[in-house]
Amino acid sequence: MSHIEDELVKRIHRDLQDDFDEELELELEDREHGVMPSDDASAERKRYFRELFRLQSELVKLQDWVQHTGHKVVILFEGRDAAGKGGVIKRITQRLNPRVCRVAALPAPNDRERTQWYFQRYVSHLPAAGEIVLFDRSWYNRAGVERVMGFCTDEQYEEFFRSAPEFERMLQRSGIQLIKYWFSISDDEQRVRFLGRIHDPLKQWKLSPMDLESRRRWEEYTRAKEVMLERTHTPESPWWVVKADDKKRARLNCIHHLLSQMPYQEVPHADIELPARERREDYTRNPVPDDIMVPEIY
């Protein structure tokens, strides 16, 4: 094996290790913040987990403030395939109330939706007072994948750029705060992540034919992204670019920046007391029939 091939294998293994860490994070729900999953964890990973938990505790405070004030927030996550959008969305929502903070990840439009006003299918997912909506891809599909793959006409493409800034100003005039993130990933890093998915049976479902085609059309997507940023980066609704080659740093940087975009404060809560359980002499609990019990294999 050549030096280049050996380095590629090492990078794929590191990427798979990141995926394992993602699952470990989700299992730390009931553990004290800062506790690591193993004694041999590196100092860098310890710092990452410690800072992630700190930021997530701030997100809980932000959630309380949004509910308390009736604030309305829309956050767009855009970027290339495998850029890490889903990972940061998962970390943001991981400890929040899904009734307050929800994710909108729309599938491809159906035949009826294709005949609607372009923004119509997104409007129904906008927040009411006291809600946060995270769009895992958004109306900017038209400026990216639809443009590159030929799913829209030149006229529809140009109309999008005329309409999008005004649509976003309408959202803001209605009291919705709009925050737009673009996750920037290098050509080489995307290649490594795609290879990692190809060789991980648990991740192969993430690779669609569209993803593979986007790999081939890298430069066309780059051109489309540059046009999109140039024509939709406005003083009222700016784009924020997240360097995403390092997934862990990208998550922390994005969450930290998101928190800085709102003047949230900790909302005081009354002390919670667990009420005593009532016991009634006239009630006897019936046993659960054995034939409906889930076998205890583990």
Side-chain angles (χ1 to χ4, degrees), residues 55-110:
L55 292 172
Q56 287 180 328
S57 69
E58 291 298 314
L59 285 171
V60 173
K61 296 177 186 177
L62 172 65
Q63 170 187 255
D64 288 348
W65 176 82
V66 167
Q67 277 190 289
H68 181 72
T69 61
H71 199 53
K72 296 181 283 188
V73 187
V74 167
I75 310 167
L76 308 187
F77 294 87
E78 295 286 346
R80 296 183 187 273
D81 297 311
K85 302 180 295 299
V88 74
I89 290 172
K90 186 184 295 183
R91 297 316 171 288
I92 291 171
T93 60
Q94 184 175 347
R95 303 177 193 281
L96 301 185
N97 184 345
R99 294 183 179 87
V100 177
C101 181
R102 68 178 188 273
V103 179
L106 278 62
N110 58 36

Side-chain angles (χ1 to χ4, degrees), residues 197-236:
R197 290 180 178 183
I198 288 171
H199 294 287
D200 183 352
L202 299 180
K203 300 287 185 179
Q204 285 181 1
W205 63 269
K206 290 188 174 184
L207 277 177
S208 68
M210 198 74 68
D211 296 334
L212 299 175
E213 183 64 18
S214 73
R215 179 66 192 159
R216 189 175 70 84
R217 302 194 187 198
W218 173 274
E219 291 185 359
E220 294 178 59
Y221 272 95
T222 299
R223 188 180 300 111
K225 176 206 69 174
E226 292 169 348
V227 172
M228 181 195 76
L229 294 180
E230 179 182 356
R231 300 185 67 176
T232 59
H233 176 79
T234 64
E236 306 90 352

Side-chain angles (χ1 to χ4, degrees), residues 104-110 113 121-122 125 136 141:
L106 278 62
N110 58 36
E113 289 170 332
R121 66 197 297 254
Y122 298 98
H125 295 275
D136 186 354
N141 275 341

Side-chain angles (χ1 to χ4, degrees), residues 115-133:
T115 67
Q116 293 176 341
W117 175 48
Y118 177 70
F119 297 93
Q120 187 170 339
R121 66 197 297 254
Y122 298 98
V123 170
S124 63
H125 295 275
L126 295 175
E131 294 180 351
I132 304 170
V133 178

